[in-house]
Amino acid sequence: SPSLSKDGSQIAAIEQTDQQKYNLVILQVDGRVLETVPSPGNRFIQHPCWMESDSAIVLAVSEEGGKSLFFYSAESGAWTRLFEAGMDDISFPVVAGERIYFSATFSGIDNIYCFDIKDQASYQVTSTRFGAFFPQLSKDGSVLYYSNYSASGYGVASVKVEEGLWKPLAE
């Protein structure tokens, strides 16, 4: 699951070795490996996404107790847990400023949620009948695009960010 840096010069990808070791790999766009970073505690990592300044990468991390969002700081080499999802599934994080949007199953149906780094709060942003997946934001961050699943399959949907549900996850 590769992710192109915001400046277009690097790619973050996940490597699983034949010895079952999980690594975050930073590549130049020509494919040369710049850095191979073992996951913390050899946890299963997936869905890397660059932070706005390209100085850190957000990832979904699976472990025995469930899934979490972590970020890896390229400057310090430190891994930090940002958000714990417990046994609910989370996937495909996308970063916009101080917010991380992602798909999750908290309501029993996949929807788009947001973790606000600054406020340390989480919100449900969409409420769809059959599921919302693969969030993306417009260049200016004002529109959230996502795949809306229906009886006819996946379709493109959008909502202005300020018109989202913004229901606190605790509710």
Side-chain angles (χ1 to χ4, degrees), residues 1-37:
S1 48
S3 176
L4 187 63
S5 62
K6 306 291 186 205
D7 70 5
S9 68
Q10 298 176 64
I11 299 168
I14 305 304
E15 173 188 56
Q16 178 181 346
T17 70
D18 54 359
Q19 290 88 29
Q20 300 302 309
K21 301 293 181 189
Y22 303 102
N23 300 310
L24 170 64
V25 180
I26 311 298
L27 308 160
Q28 287 189 317
V29 291
D30 65 6
R32 286 184 288 157
V33 175
L34 296 173
E35 186 176 8
T36 299
V37 183

Side-chain angles (χ1 to χ4, degrees), residues 23-87:
N23 300 310
L24 170 64
V25 180
I26 311 298
L27 308 160
Q28 287 189 317
V29 291
D30 65 6
R32 286 184 288 157
V33 175
L34 296 173
E35 186 176 8
T36 299
V37 183
S39 73
N42 197 41
R43 294 177 182 111
F44 182 72
I45 53 178
Q46 59 190 140
H47 310 297
C49 179
W50 292 87
M51 297 289 287
E52 294 287 326
S53 65
D54 290 339
S55 63
I57 299 167
V58 172
L59 303 101
V61 177
S62 295
E63 52 194 324
E64 196 171 302
K67 280 193 167 181
S68 298
L69 288 176
F70 273 72
F71 81 84
Y72 169 73
S73 170
E75 291 177 6
S76 70
W79 291 86
T80 303
R81 185 188 316 264
L82 297 171
F83 173 77
E84 287 188 57
M87 298 310 288

Side-chain angles (χ1 to χ4, degrees), residues 7 13 21 27 38 40 42 54 60 63 74 78 90 116 118-119 122 139 141 146-147 159 166:
D7 70 5
K21 301 293 181 189
L27 308 160
N42 197 41
D54 290 339
E63 52 194 324
I90 57 173
D116 188 303
K118 182 179 170 189
D119 296 337
S122 301
K139 190 170 187 168
Y146 57 95
S147 292
V159 63
W166 294 100

